[in-house]
Amino acid sequence: FYKRLRANGKKPMVAIAAVMRKIVVTLNARLRDAMIPQS
């Protein structure tokens, strides 16, 4: 994902920020999905 962003001409910091955001969104979704059955 990071390499693809870099290949598209994104600056390194911009690409890293996008990757981190993607990871955070994925983790939040997993946590949310894990919580639903218990409630």
Side-chain angles (χ1 to χ4, degrees):
F1 181 65
Y2 172 79
K3 284 177 182 164
R4 195 173 73 224
L5 288 174
R6 293 288 291 130
N8 288 343
K10 292 274 185 280
K11 293 181 177 70
M13 282 306 298
V14 173
I16 290 168
V19 171
M20 287 195 304
R21 194 173 67 228
K22 185 182 174 77
I23 290 168
V24 168
V25 167
T26 302
L27 288 175
N28 282 341
R30 281 198 192 153
L31 284 172
R32 187 194 64 221
D33 293 346
M35 295 294 174
I36 289 169
Q38 297 168 5
S39 58

